[in-house]
Amino acid sequence: MTTPFAVRGDYIQLDQLLKAAGLVGSGGEAHAAVESGLVQVDGQPESRKRAKLRPGQKVDFQGETLVLVAEE
């Protein structure tokens, strides 16, 4: 399932995104998911927990796809 996610400001950190989107229950779960290689950004595995993501990027995690859009 693809879901748009509005980014406030210039970027959102990957760990914060996973938590804000409700894909994980805590920051610790977000860190564990990233460290385990379960998160992809723009089709590539992402290992940086605090990677800065910007509108236009796509995040895949456990069958969910988030497309980042600029907040209007």
Side-chain angles (χ1 to χ4, degrees), residues 17-34:
L17 171 67
L18 295 175
K19 189 172 174 189
L23 299 179
V24 296
S26 68
E29 284 182 41
H31 290 187
V34 174

Side-chain angles (χ1 to χ4, degrees), residues 2-71:
T2 300
T3 307
F5 186 90
V7 178
R8 295 181 188 164
D10 292 334
Y11 66 88
I12 186 169
Q13 291 181 181
L14 178 56
D15 56 347
Q16 293 173 349
L17 171 67
L18 295 175
K19 189 172 174 189
L23 299 179
V24 296
S26 68
E29 284 182 41
H31 290 187
V34 174
E35 288 174 356
S36 298
L38 300 176
V39 182
Q40 290 190 340
V41 175
D42 295 334
Q44 300 295 318
E46 180 57 72
S47 60
R48 298 172 296 155
K49 297 173 277 203
R50 293 184 175 90
K52 293 178 180 177
L53 306 177
R54 292 175 168 75
Q57 290 189 286
K58 181 178 77 168
V59 176
D60 294 298
F61 176 64
Q62 293 187 332
E64 296 287 330
T65 300
L66 298 175
V67 177
L68 305 184
V69 296
E71 185 176 67

